[in-house]
């Protein structure tokens, strides 16, 4: 057999999400690791998609997206963020947020470019940068609250910086940007040609009165940004893999050059059903903060009778916990032990970082039925302080 060429991603293996979900299934553990709900999308949305299937909308959609869906997205952006978006030139429907993130990186990053990542960072960012020939420059978030130290970001920016990737609400920590963060980022980039990739897939999941600080509300940032969102997260349909990217026309043109050869077009009936649902049921995304805040609060009430320490998440549907009162194991080993011996699967936080010091923190997903959370809480109550 001819020898294989050297791997283009030598440090990349199977994602931790696949590993932990598989281990949970093997052990019969309650899976609070991978970020997906255990409840269904809105029934009306399912009916709309099925109706479009039965109506014969089962062939390729336009490459950029089903036009009524692109228009509905543009209208939603205008209503939420006060930004006028040209649907035909600035909105692209993608196969989930991950494809959008990948295509944005491939569209603008070239060999020798630097891309700033704020770590802990979602695990798809750096492989996309490496495949584009770029170099990931990691800037640690503050350990106490996962906020951004903008002075460190400023120090990391150089003439080689092509892209800064930001993520709010932040996976895995649940931290969120505010207007001061947007202004700090704009000030740093004002005298550069660097672009922004803003991962906002949890845009509707902020709690306790917080408001999502999208880069789309900041004209200066919006003019140099790709903004990625996810219907899968918003409508409890992660398996449908439908997301979108909003960017100025010139950036969108480059984005679509990549998108057309990665995915070309997203499933037509899903797009058509989502277009109808956005118009018919706009209250869904408006109600998500209260919906998920109730789940967060319920899960936190269960955690309070365990030795696990935490601060309630500010956004996303993830909750971090500090297990240092329970075990001295490194977080990857602890997550495996927790899955096998306690019967609850979590994600170790260290997998999102390359350079940060070890910490005893794992991430749980609370996008679950209350019965699922109750069962997990009952098992976690068996933990005792070491």
């Amino acid at each position: 057999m001819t020898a294989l060429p050297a791997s283009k991603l030598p440090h990349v293996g199977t994602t931790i999400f696949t590993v932990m979900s598989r281990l949970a299934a093997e052990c019969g553990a309650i899976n609070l690791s991978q970020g997906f709900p255990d409840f269904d999308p809105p029934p009306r949305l399912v009916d709309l998609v099925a109706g479009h299937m039965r109506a014969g909308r089962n062939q390729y959609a336009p490459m950029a997206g089903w036009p009524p869906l692109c228009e509905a997205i543009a209208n939603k952006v205008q209503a939420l963020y006060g930004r006028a978006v040209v649907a035909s030139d600035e909105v692209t429907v993608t196969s989930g947020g991950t494809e959008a993130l990948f295509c944005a990186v491939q569209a603008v990053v070239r060999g020798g470019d630097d891309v700033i990542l704020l770590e802990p960072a979602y695990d798809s960012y750096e492989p996309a940068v490496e495949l584009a020939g770029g170099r990931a420059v990691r800037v640690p978030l503050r350990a106490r609250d996962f906020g951004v130290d903008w002075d460190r970001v400023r120090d990391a920016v150089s003439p080689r910086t092509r892209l800064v990737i930001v993520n709010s609400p932040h996976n895995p920590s649940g931290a969120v940007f505010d207007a001061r963060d947007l202004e700090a980022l704009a000030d740093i980039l004002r005298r550069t040609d660097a672009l922004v990739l803003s991962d906002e897939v949890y845009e509707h999941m902020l709690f306790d009165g917080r408001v999502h600080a999208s880069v789309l509300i900041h004209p200066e940032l919006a003019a140099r940004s790709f903004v990625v969102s996810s219907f899968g997260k918003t409508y409890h349909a992660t398996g449908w893999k439908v997301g979108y990217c909003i960017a100025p026309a010139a950036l969108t043109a480059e984005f679509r050059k990549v998108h057309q050869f990665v995915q070309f077009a997203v499933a037509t009936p899903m797009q058509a059903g989502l277009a109808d649902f956005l118009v018919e049921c706009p209250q869904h995304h408006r109600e998500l903060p209260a919906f998920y805040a109730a789940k967060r609060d319920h899960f936190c009430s269960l955690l309070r009778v365990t030795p696990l320490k935490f601060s309630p998440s500010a956004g996303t549907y993830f909750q971090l916990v500090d297990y240092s009162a329970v075990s001295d194991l490194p977080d990857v080993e602890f997550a495996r032990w927790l899955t096998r011996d306690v019967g609850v699967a979590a994600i170790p936080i260290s997998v999102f970082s390359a350079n940060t010091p070890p910490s005893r923190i794992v991430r749980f997903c609370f996008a679950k039925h209350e019965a699922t959370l109750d069962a997990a809480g009952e098992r976690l109550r068996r933990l005792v302080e070491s």
Side-chain angles (χ1 to χ4, degrees):
M1 178 179 175
T2 303
L4 293 174
S7 172
K8 296 180 74 173
L9 295 172
H11 306 297
V12 173
T14 304
T15 71
I16 190 66
F17 310 107
T18 299
V19 169
M20 295 309 300
S21 286
R22 183 170 58 219
L23 182 61
E26 291 171 354
C27 298
I30 298 167
N31 189 1
L32 302 188
S33 60
Q34 194 170 1
F36 60 84
D38 67 348
F39 41 85
D40 290 329
R44 178 58 181 158
L45 176 56
V46 175
D47 290 342
L48 288 167
V49 170
H52 284 289
M53 289 180 175
R54 285 190 287 268
R57 295 185 179 93
N58 299 301
Q59 309 310 321
Y60 293 126
M63 178 269 288
W66 186 252
L69 179 56
C70 295
E71 288 290 346
I73 291 168
N75 292 337
K76 178 185 173 187
V77 168
Q78 175 75 63
L80 284 176
Y81 307 126
R83 179 162 184 81
V85 173
V86 180
S88 59
D89 297 334
E90 298 181 306
V91 178
T92 308
V93 181
T94 61
S95 181
T98 302
E99 191 230 330
L101 294 165
F102 181 84
C103 290
V105 172
Q106 303 308 310
V108 297
V109 175
R110 296 166 178 80
D113 288 343
D114 284 353
V115 178
I116 293 177
L117 310 181
L118 306 178
E119 72 169 8
Y122 185 60
D123 68 346
S124 80
Y125 301 160
E126 187 166 16
V129 171
E130 292 182 349
L131 288 171
R135 181 176 75 106
V137 178
R138 289 177 171 263
V139 176
L141 297 173
R142 294 192 300 259
R144 67 180 184 277
D145 62 358
F146 294 93
V148 183
D149 183 336
W150 291 109
D151 288 335
R152 295 190 70 166
V153 175
R154 188 184 302 275
D155 291 342
V157 171
S158 77
R160 291 163 54 105
T161 303
R162 171 59 57 194
L163 190 65
V164 179
I165 302 180
V166 296
N167 172 209
S168 178
H170 180 253
N171 178 15
S173 74
V176 300
F177 275 12
D178 61 23
R180 294 169 296 180
D181 292 301
L182 297 181
E183 188 51 45
L185 177 59
D187 183 65
I188 290 169
L189 300 184
R190 194 162 284 138
R191 290 163 293 280
T192 77
D193 294 324
L195 303 171
V196 175
L197 173 53
S198 186
D199 180 351
E200 302 184 15
V201 299
Y202 298 100
E203 63 183 318
H204 300 301
M205 301 169 200
L206 289 90
F207 314 129
D208 307 318
R210 296 177 177 88
V211 177
H212 178 47
S214 172
V215 301
L216 292 168
I217 69 175
H218 194 292
E220 194 175 350
L221 289 175
R224 63 168 80 208
S225 294
F226 299 94
V227 179
V228 174
S229 296
S230 168
F231 287 123
K233 302 294 190 298
T234 300
Y235 295 116
H236 323 316
T238 61
W240 291 10
K241 294 296 295 177
V242 185
Y244 57 94
C245 179
I246 297 171
L251 292 179
T252 293
E254 295 305 311
F255 179 95
R256 289 177 181 174
K257 290 177 184 179
V258 179
H259 164 71
Q260 68 184 339
F261 295 116
V262 172
Q263 175 68 20
F264 183 74
V266 174
T268 304
M270 272 74 169
Q271 291 196 65
L274 285 163
D276 292 346
F277 193 80
L278 271 169
V279 174
E280 185 178 315
C281 303
Q283 72 277 6
H284 175 89
H285 62 261
R286 297 170 187 159
E287 294 169 353
L288 274 190
F291 175 81
Y292 276 115
K295 291 187 177 296
R296 178 204 63 173
D297 293 346
H298 181 70
F299 186 53
C300 287
S301 72
L302 300 170
L303 292 175
R304 287 192 178 96
V305 296
T306 76
L308 302 170
K309 307 303 180 185
F310 64 93
S311 295
S313 174
T316 73
Y317 47 48
F318 300 120
Q319 178 63 53
L320 297 187
V321 302
D322 182 327
Y323 64 85
S324 55
V326 176
S327 173
D328 292 328
L329 288 172
D331 63 351
V332 173
E333 293 180 36
F334 177 80
R336 292 180 182 277
W337 173 83
L338 190 71
T339 304
R340 288 192 306 262
D341 290 32
V342 180
V344 181
I347 294 292
I349 208 71
S350 67
V351 301
F352 297 91
S353 302
N355 305 308
T356 54
S359 61
R360 295 188 179 91
I361 300 176
V362 293
R363 188 199 80 179
F364 291 117
C365 174
F366 56 79
K368 309 294 179 184
H369 285 294
E370 283 199 3
T372 305
L373 298 175
D374 288 342
E378 182 61 33
R379 296 183 184 189
L380 293 172
R381 285 181 63 183
R382 303 171 195 164
L383 295 171
V384 295
E385 295 190 21
S386 58

